[in-house]
Amino acid sequence: MRKIIGIEDQELIARIAKAMGHPTRVAILLFLASQDSCYFGDIHEELPIAKATVSQHLKELREAGLIQGEIETPKVKYCIHKENWKMARELFVDFFNTYVEKDVMC
Amino acid sequence: MRKIIGIEDQELIARIAKAMGHPTRVAILLFLASQDSCYFGDIHEELPIAKATVSQHLKELREAGLIQGEIETPKVKYCIHKENWKMARELFVDFFNTYVEKDVMC
DNA sequence: AATATTGTTTGTAAATTTGCGAACAATAAT
DNA sequence: ATTATTGTTCGCAAATTTACAAACAATATT
């Protein structure tokens, strides 16, 4: 049985996809996914770009709901937003499953 | 076992995500996914935007590899690019599976 | 109080995206 | 030949994105 994806889910998919639509942001997400949590500095260290730019990318990912940041003065700890990540995964799985050659999945 | 996502896959994910990062393009993909194939006019009919804009969105989806278009003069038939769609699905599934609360999946 | 550490915010410039009308191309029908 | 049909391409304007340096904020250290 194929899931029906309503207009609101479509916009959510677009919103999340947009946040994922930059190599640096994909790299950040994968780094966080592998670290389970880490500080701004750790992320910045991994990337060949200015800290202001890193901060901006992190902001976009946060606003899309994919990550969350929390202040541990004087540092800021970032991590994957578990619930939203799970929801995003389900959205994308359903999305890509709207088209399949054969109905044999999984 | 978790899949390792290399730098090239990261860029591919970003490229595809970027193409999916607009509500209209998500709508087009879902429409094509449900139709299996259809003409430009059918797509345009579904959307509240100018044909020039529809054509541009289709171009982006085509350049990202998610769809393919073929001329059936005087019409143009569009459909999901099966192989690339399948590859994209696997990329995204692997991507989202890089982070899971528990290792019990599926 | 002055300094250092860690990030965010601001201002700015360049590039890209989005959307549209109008012009164009390619064939089919009159 | 002219006209109609179906989309694409072009040119333009407005909005957004990307990247950076510099300024700033908030606390900790000297």
Side-chain angles (χ1 to χ4, degrees):
Chain A
M1 188 197 138
R2 190 109 319 127
K3 230 220 157 188
I4 287 167
I5 298 177
I7 182 70
E8 269 157 49
D9 282 343
Q10 292 179 33
E11 293 189 359
L12 199 44
I13 289 170
R15 178 131 178 56
I16 295 168
K18 191 176 180 184
M20 289 173 58
H22 191 289
T24 296
R25 291 195 290 269
V26 171
I28 290 173
L29 290 173
L30 287 173
F31 184 60
L32 286 182
S34 76
Q35 299 291 308
D36 221 68
S37 117
C38 63
Y39 298 108
F40 175 89
D42 305 328
I43 301 168
H44 181 211
E45 218 172 29
E46 288 287 306
L47 304 168
I49 57 180
K51 62 182 177 172
T53 309
V54 174
S55 196
Q56 213 168 292
H57 282 307
L58 287 168
K59 188 179 183 185
E60 288 179 59
L61 289 173
R62 188 158 23 78
E63 285 172 354
L66 290 171
I67 67 173
Q68 57 193 153
E70 122 186 53
I71 298 174
E72 285 189 9
T73 318
K75 300 190 178 183
V76 178
K77 192 173 79 178
Y78 283 99
C79 59
I80 297 292
H81 191 303
K82 289 190 183 187
E83 289 172 29
N84 289 347
W85 182 273
K86 188 180 174 188
M87 184 202 58
R89 177 173 52 204
E90 283 165 7
L91 271 177
F92 277 75
V93 166
D94 288 342
F95 172 82
F96 280 110
N97 278 342
T98 55
Y99 183 82
V100 279
E101 294 183 61
K102 306 183 178 195
D103 274 280
V104 186
M105 303 297 309
C106 212
Chain B
M1 187 196 133
R2 192 108 319 125
K3 232 220 156 188
I4 287 166
I5 298 177
I7 182 68
E8 267 156 48
D9 281 344
Q10 292 180 31
E11 292 189 357
L12 199 45
I13 288 170
R15 178 131 178 56
I16 294 168
K18 191 175 179 184
M20 287 173 58
H22 191 289
T24 296
R25 291 196 289 269
V26 171
I28 290 172
L29 289 173
L30 287 173
F31 184 60
L32 287 182
S34 75
Q35 299 290 307
D36 221 68
S37 116
C38 62
Y39 298 108
F40 174 89
D42 304 326
I43 302 169
H44 181 211
E45 219 171 29
E46 289 286 306
L47 303 169
I49 55 180
K51 62 182 176 173
T53 308
V54 174
S55 197
Q56 214 168 291
H57 282 307
L58 288 168
K59 189 180 182 183
E60 287 178 60
L61 289 172
R62 187 158 24 77
E63 286 173 353
L66 289 171
I67 68 173
Q68 58 192 152
E70 119 185 57
I71 298 173
E72 285 190 7
T73 318
K75 300 191 179 184
V76 177
K77 193 172 77 177
Y78 282 99
C79 58
I80 298 291
H81 191 302
K82 289 190 184 186
E83 289 171 28
N84 290 347
W85 182 272
K86 189 180 174 189
M87 184 202 56
R89 177 172 52 203
E90 284 165 5
L91 271 178
F92 277 74
V93 165
D94 288 342
F95 172 81
F96 280 110
N97 279 342
T98 55
Y99 183 82
V100 280
E101 294 183 64
K102 308 183 178 196
D103 274 279
V104 186
M105 304 298 311
C106 211

